[in-house]
Amino acid sequence: MYKNLPKSIYSLAIVNFINGFGNFTFPFLTLFLTLKLGYSTSEAGAFSMLSIAMYVPGSLISSKLADKMSRKKIMVITQTLFSLSFLACGIFYSHLNLIPYILILGLLFDGASDPARQALHTDHTNFENRQEAFSLFYLSYNLGFGFGPAIAGLLFNYYPRWLFLGSGIIGIIATIIVTFTIHDKRPDKKMLKESIEKNRTDKAVEGSVFKALLSRPKLFTFICINGIFFFSVSLVIFSLPLYATYLFSDKGPSIYGFLMSANAVTVVMITPLFVKLSRKKNTLTALILSFVLYLIGFNFLAIGSVLIVYILGVITFSLGESLNATNNDYFIANHTPMGHRARFSTLISIIQGSGYAFGPLVGGQLLEIFTFKQVYHIVSLIVLFCIIALTYLRHTYIRDGEPILPKEQSEEPQTN
């Protein structure tokens, strides 16, 4: 399935693997704030929201530049600054109170890197190989992430400084690979002009990014549903390490680390199968099923308080995560105007990311009022609403005869 792809896609996949391996600090950020710095759950939630919100100004600054200039240069510069921020956290670890502020600065640079990175991924793919390529990017990231949290779970208790130093060093390595193996492939004026004249789901649109988004009202609705959905996911992700510590005491961080690795391993094993099952099928149907798997996983967390049920909950929503990632970015990329890829990425990140940003803040407040199980029941109701809304959106696509897959790739009616 992943054979005969362009060399640049394999290079980007390797970079994703390295970034996934190095991204072992964020899963432990909540525990770092509560156990090392003494934050309450609400304070940790507020900080997590602020850290996610820092992606917005960063991405706004870089997105227009990425559509007009070199995506690669912007990605290299911002990712280097992001990695240096993590190295600074490790170097100044003896001054613990400084670390949250350095992290905030680093996340500003990471947010600035995202639009260029996403646009670069889309530029190096086409309708024919995009689903396979995007799944490879996701697969390679999770393959790396499968090793990271298990190592981080051990570092957290004994060598916490290396949570930051390790992430910074690995980020620098990934940036070096991008510098020497990836080239810019931004659409030129001729490609954009030809695209406008074609009836493609990603055809270019003249005018501002807001005009481009308004020309795709169903995509805007889809993004809003995702924003609500990712709010619920973010709330659970924020609470999971706290729940592990609540259930398993001192063993909680290590168990959580290994379960996050189990999450990644599950994703790595199942993603190729999901790609085969999803190919040339109604993408929204696959996304609805992914929401259902998340719902089942969250309910496992809500009804159980022993390790085996905790594991079943994590694995089940890992299956939902894999199916969602295999189709979500693919759907959005195929409906994004060719000349607005970086700016669209930013706008989508702001709308969807707003939900993700508020998750920790609301989660921290809820956990001071309700039990973990009650919170997971609340989350389940939100996910159920998203399932109903996405099912209706799928119906409107089919009713109006609009393609859910790009027309060049659709070989059968969208009735499944």
Side-chain angles (χ1 to χ4, degrees):
M1 178 170 42
Y2 298 123
K3 295 180 180 179
N4 303 319
L5 293 172
K7 291 182 180 179
S8 59
I9 291 179
Y10 295 124
S11 295
L12 288 168
I14 292 171
V15 171
N16 274 18
F17 170 82
I18 295 171
N19 281 331
F21 181 76
N23 188 21
F24 46 63
T25 301
F26 287 111
F28 285 82
L29 183 57
T30 302
L31 291 181
F32 177 79
L33 294 172
T34 54
L35 299 183
K36 302 293 185 183
L37 296 182
Y39 283 29
S40 67
T41 55
S42 58
E43 289 171 335
F47 179 85
S48 295
M49 186 196 74
L50 177 62
S51 65
I52 296 171
M54 291 306 295
Y55 278 77
V56 174
S59 61
L60 285 174
I61 292 168
S62 70
S63 61
K64 190 167 185 177
L65 293 175
D67 273 334
K68 300 296 183 183
M69 299 168 57
S70 168
R71 316 216 208 262
K72 174 182 170 179
K73 288 180 180 178
I74 292 172
M75 180 179 170
V76 167
I77 292 170
T78 54
Q79 190 161 308
T80 298
L81 292 171
F82 171 65
S83 300
L84 290 176
S85 300
F86 270 77
L87 288 174
C89 287
I91 293 169
F92 296 106
Y93 186 79
S94 55
H95 304 283
L96 281 178
N97 290 329
L98 285 177
I99 290 180
Y101 300 102
I102 301 175
L103 283 176
I104 290 294
L105 180 63
L107 291 169
L108 177 70
F109 297 130
D110 193 36
S113 181
D114 266 354
R117 182 188 301 118
Q118 292 297 326
L120 202 62
H121 283 178
T122 305
D123 289 345
H124 282 268
T125 62
N126 54 46
F127 279 143
E128 287 69 34
N129 64 25
R130 186 163 290 152
Q131 189 171 30
E132 287 80 3
F134 275 30
S135 72
L136 180 62
F137 296 153
Y138 174 70
L139 189 69
S140 56
Y141 180 88
N142 279 281
L143 190 60
F145 190 70
F147 296 101
I151 295 172
L154 301 175
L155 293 176
F156 183 83
N157 286 325
Y158 303 106
Y159 305 100
R161 182 190 298 266
W162 277 94
L163 283 174
F164 303 102
L165 290 175
S167 289
I169 292 170
I170 292 170
I172 293 292
I173 293 172
T175 305
I176 292 172
I177 293 175
V178 171
T179 302
F180 292 103
T181 66
I182 306 298
H183 63 278
D184 269 311
K185 202 176 178 181
R186 185 168 56 89
D188 56 28
K189 291 182 179 179
K190 181 181 178 181
M191 293 172 62
L192 295 177
K193 185 177 180 180
E194 291 176 351
S195 169
I196 292 174
E197 297 171 355
K198 293 181 179 180
N199 188 24
R200 294 161 48 117
T201 57
D202 72 338
K203 69 178 181 178
V205 175
E206 294 179 341
S208 70
V209 66
F210 296 103
K211 180 182 177 181
L213 184 60
L214 290 175
S215 71
R216 289 161 165 78
K218 289 187 176 66
L219 178 61
F220 178 71
T221 303
F222 172 79
I223 294 167
C224 291
I225 294 171
N226 265 358
I228 298 171
F229 173 70
F230 286 129
F231 163 78
S232 66
V233 173
S234 175
L235 199 157
V236 173
I237 295 300
F238 167 78
S239 70
L240 273 180
L242 299 173
Y243 192 35
T245 303
Y246 170 78
L247 292 176
F248 312 116
S249 301
D250 292 341
K251 294 181 180 179
S254 296
I255 290 174
Y256 172 71
F258 280 106
L259 280 176
M260 288 302 97
S261 292
N263 166 276
V265 169
T266 301
V267 163
V268 167
M269 292 174 62
I270 205 68
T271 294
L273 175 61
F274 280 160
V275 171
K276 287 185 177 180
L277 294 176
S278 301
R279 188 180 294 160
K280 297 182 181 179
K281 298 298 181 181
N282 187 312
T283 314
L284 294 182
T285 301
L287 288 169
I288 292 167
L289 178 58
S290 78
F291 284 15
V292 171
L293 288 169
Y294 269 102
L295 180 64
I296 295 170
F298 293 163
N299 274 284
F300 269 125
L301 295 174
I303 64 174
S305 57
V306 295
L307 182 58
I308 185 61
V309 179
Y310 185 90
I311 293 173
L312 284 173
V314 171
I315 289 177
T316 305
F317 78 68
S318 296
L319 296 175
E321 176 190 336
S322 176
L323 188 58
N324 186 279
T326 301
N327 290 276
N328 188 66
D329 290 345
Y330 173 62
F331 179 84
I332 291 174
N334 284 337
H335 290 77
T336 296
M338 187 182 293
H340 293 73
R341 282 171 177 165
R343 283 169 287 175
F344 240 60
S345 174
T346 294
L347 200 56
I348 290 168
S349 295
I350 290 172
I351 296 172
Q352 294 185 165
S354 295
Y356 208 89
F358 278 101
L361 177 66
V362 175
Q365 298 291 336
L366 288 177
L367 288 172
E368 293 192 350
I369 302 172
F370 302 104
T371 66
F372 285 101
K373 293 181 180 181
Q374 289 170 332
V375 169
Y376 294 145
H377 282 308
I378 294 171
V379 169
S380 296
L381 291 175
I382 298 172
V383 175
L384 181 60
F385 166 79
C386 293
I387 291 171
I388 295 170
L390 195 58
T391 301
Y392 179 75
L393 180 64
R394 173 187 175 277
H395 168 72
T396 63
Y397 266 101
I398 296 173
R399 180 196 64 197
D400 299 338
E402 295 186 32
I404 296 176
L405 284 170
K407 285 188 176 181
E408 288 87 342
Q409 191 168 325
S410 294
E411 296 178 359
E412 58 188 20
Q414 297 297 327
T415 58
N416 52 309

